[in-house]
Every structure is written in structure tokens, then in C-alpha cells.
Amino acid sequence: MPNSATINPRIVETLYHDALLLADEVRHAFEQPCGFDNDDPLRIALSSEGLRTTTRMMHAIAWLLNHRAYFAGEMNQFQLRRNGRLSPDLRHSEAAQLASLQPEIIDLVESTQRFYDRLLRLDARWRLFGETQPSAIERLRERLQRRLAS
């Protein structure tokens, strides 16, 4: 992988474990307490923010899993570049809804946003370096591996 100072297996593993811990915190924080009315604005805000935050973390974990697969040799660079993209367009929280939530939940949501933004920066720097297509040697290796497998 080009520019290994930007991203390497150790960084990916550390971030992956951090993401799992953060996702677990998100799951616990957004468990629906009983007693809310379906039209309760607080329940709607909690549900909306929970969905946004969970989606953000699942995208982060998927990105990290793709990079783990690459470093384990289960995916080549072309596949990673093609399938291992982070969406820069994930919706951020709506300020009014977020303000109605408990401070601990607000802090957690902001932590997930900072984590995701960090991955976006890593992804952007990594994509600046290296080829967008596999090298001729990589393509030849893949063809040979396919022939040997059949």
C-alpha cells in the first residue's frame, strides 16, 4: 500500500478496536427506554440521532474491515480502492434535535463524528497516493492465481 506512514495494519487494528468500543457505547446509549409516546419529540429525536450515529459507525467499521482484509491479503489494492470508500455525505446531526438530548448522548454523537472525520482524513490522504488501477504485475499475479485455482 502506498504511503504506509499514512495507514498501516497497526493503525487499522487500533482504529478497528476503538470503533467496536464506540459502536457498543452507541448501542447502549440509544436503547429505547419504555414509556415514551410514539409522537413524543424526544423519542423522535433519540430515534433519528440513534439511526444517524449507528449508520456512521457501521460505515466506519465496514471501511476498517475492508482495510483489515487488504492487509491480510484477502483483497487487492484495486478491490480496496473500488469497494473501500467512505461516504463524505453522511448526514450530520440536526442541531435542534441534538440539543434536546442528554449531554452524555450529545458527547457520544460528537465523538462518533470526530472518529468518522478522522477516517475520512485518512482515506483522503491514502487516496492521494498510489495508483488507481492495479499495476501490470498485480494484474498478472491475479491472472496466474485464477488459473492455478481453476
Side-chain angles (χ1 to χ4, degrees):
M1 178 176 273
N3 195 14
S4 61
T6 303
I7 190 167
N8 61 50
R10 195 173 74 210
I11 290 171
V12 169
E13 282 302 312
T14 300
L15 289 170
Y16 177 71
H17 290 287
D18 291 348
L20 290 178
L21 292 172
L22 200 51
D24 198 42
E25 286 181 51
V26 166
R27 184 179 61 81
H28 287 297
F30 288 101
E31 287 177 337
Q32 291 294 318
C34 297
F36 277 120
D37 183 7
N38 280 343
D39 295 330
D40 186 5
L42 182 58
R43 180 171 188 249
I44 293 169
L46 192 63
S47 294
S48 297
E49 202 51 53
L51 183 58
R52 266 191 216 100
T53 306
T54 302
T55 301
R56 183 179 307 117
M57 289 311 300
M58 292 304 104
H59 278 266
I61 290 171
W63 185 86
L64 289 162
L65 284 171
N66 280 330
H67 280 77
R68 286 179 84 203
Y70 170 78
F71 285 121
E74 298 167 358
M75 180 182 279
N76 65 36
Q77 190 176 80
F78 178 73
Q79 292 169 319
L80 180 61
R81 286 187 181 279
R82 188 174 185 194
N83 301 311
R85 295 180 180 263
L86 275 178
S87 173
D89 301 326
L90 282 181
R91 290 185 56 202
H92 282 282
S93 303
E94 293 179 21
Q97 277 191 346
L98 193 59
S100 67
L101 300 177
Q102 297 169 342
E104 308 84 52
I105 291 180
I106 295 170
D107 290 343
L108 181 59
V109 169
E110 290 171 350
S111 292
T112 66
Q113 288 173 345
R114 284 190 303 273
F115 185 84
Y116 194 83
D117 289 343
R118 181 178 180 194
L119 293 184
L120 281 172
R121 286 189 304 273
L122 275 172
D123 189 55
R125 285 194 62 200
W126 176 71
R127 288 184 187 284
L128 287 176
F129 297 95
E131 303 170 9
T132 57
Q133 296 181 17
S135 68
I137 292 173
E138 279 183 299
R139 289 191 308 266
L140 180 59
R141 280 186 191 147
E142 287 176 17
R143 285 195 339 243
L144 287 172
Q145 286 175 348
R146 281 194 300 266
R147 280 190 183 164
L148 290 174
S150 36

